[in-house]
Amino acid sequence: QAVWLTMATFTLAAELRVLRVPHALPHAQHLPGPSQRLVGGVTTVPDSSRGFGRTAGAVFALAVGQSLRASRRKCRTPRAVLADGSNEEGEAVAPITFGLDEVEDIVLYQQEFSPPCVKLRTMFKYYNLPFRVVNGRHPTSDYKKIPVLEINNRQINDSHVIVKTVVPWFTGRPMTEKEMMWEKRITYEFQPAFEVELLGNERDVAMIWTRATNFIGGWQRGIIGILSPILKLVVEALFKSRYPEMELPSSNFGLEFRRALGDQAFFHGEQPGPVDLSLYGTYAAFNGCSATARFLQASKLEEWHERMEALNVADVEQPKVYAMR
């Protein structure tokens, strides 16, 4: 939501100038058809958008407005199942009962640089889970957020619920209470705090803009410099209301995680596990950002980060970063 808020603000600014910003997704490919079922790796669906016009500005503004209204709700709807039969955000689902050898298709509906989506892709890649991705929301679901995972046409919504459901399935063991606690804290404490810090640095916001559009010009840099501190204040207030356990700076969480590591190479011992992959995947899309560097340094997690980097499991592009002047 923080990233979408940023994009909506800049898009509306572009509308006031009656300008179009070039947009391209060089990594996009055609989605395999039924006769081309993916065996491993990731395939993306081309984004139909090729520019930010007046319609895009209106859509972005509407999407952000709906997100902000939803975030202000004090209570989640009491139903655990949506009209289409899938789960509400945060609602647990039944375990997966079929085996990995029975998988016919796994689809992740996502956005390329969304932290929870990158987290899931990182886990799937490490555990060699065959899947494909579709950029955008599920086209027919009553659940209007991302990520959404479909396994053999069974839909699971919300990254936290997805992790709790699929990790026991592809690791062959249930998550421990300790692992569940850390996964919850990564989702509801670290992630929102890190996003607030990300939006508080104009260079980092410039990177977000560049990754979304593959372009940044002089007027965008000027607007970023003005709006970045305002965005930080707005998003911080919004997230504090929605995530009462969020604590700034994010390094407070990082230091606790570092203490939990002790002398081990990874949280799970000599080899990484779901908790390592969850934390690393949450910020991996923003390696190179000032917020990431500050978090790792203040948390004393640089060596752990280097070990995670060596795994080569963070499936994200690393586009050019434009320095602020």
Side-chain angles (χ1 to χ4, degrees), residues 177-323:
E177 290 187 10
K178 185 177 180 181
E179 291 170 344
M180 295 278 283
M181 180 271 289
W182 279 103
E183 169 58 30
K184 182 177 180 180
R185 293 192 63 192
I186 290 168
T187 303
Y188 298 112
E189 292 182 40
F190 169 71
Q191 181 183 316
F194 177 74
E195 291 184 3
V196 168
E197 293 168 345
L198 196 68
L199 293 179
N201 184 286
E202 59 187 29
R203 181 179 179 274
D204 291 351
V205 177
M207 176 180 280
I208 295 172
W209 173 267
T210 305
R211 289 183 169 184
T213 65
N214 290 324
F215 173 83
I216 190 169
W219 73 268
Q220 287 100 335
R221 290 196 293 268
I223 290 177
I224 287 170
I226 296 172
L227 293 183
S228 178
I230 300 174
L231 283 169
K232 180 181 183 296
L233 292 174
V234 171
V235 173
E236 182 177 350
L238 178 68
F239 280 4
K240 281 184 176 179
S241 173
R242 184 173 187 184
Y243 306 106
E245 296 178 351
M246 181 190 80
E247 182 180 354
L248 293 170
S250 61
S251 57
N252 289 342
F253 170 88
L255 286 170
E256 289 189 52
F257 182 79
R258 178 66 188 87
R259 287 191 290 270
L261 286 179
D263 297 329
Q264 300 181 124
F266 300 100
F267 180 86
H268 297 267
E270 293 303 312
Q271 298 295 327
V275 175
D276 298 287
L277 296 164
S278 179
L279 177 57
Y280 173 69
T282 298
Y283 70 79
F286 302 102
N287 280 340
C289 285
S290 300
T292 304
R294 287 195 302 269
F295 164 71
L296 293 172
Q297 183 177 19
S299 303
K300 302 178 182 179
L301 286 172
E302 296 101 325
E303 293 183 1
W304 171 85
H305 169 76
E306 290 175 2
R307 290 190 286 270
M308 294 300 297
E309 284 277 275
L311 299 172
N312 193 30
V313 291
D315 182 38
V316 290
E317 270 189 53
Q318 297 297 330
K320 185 183 296 183
V321 180
Y322 289 79

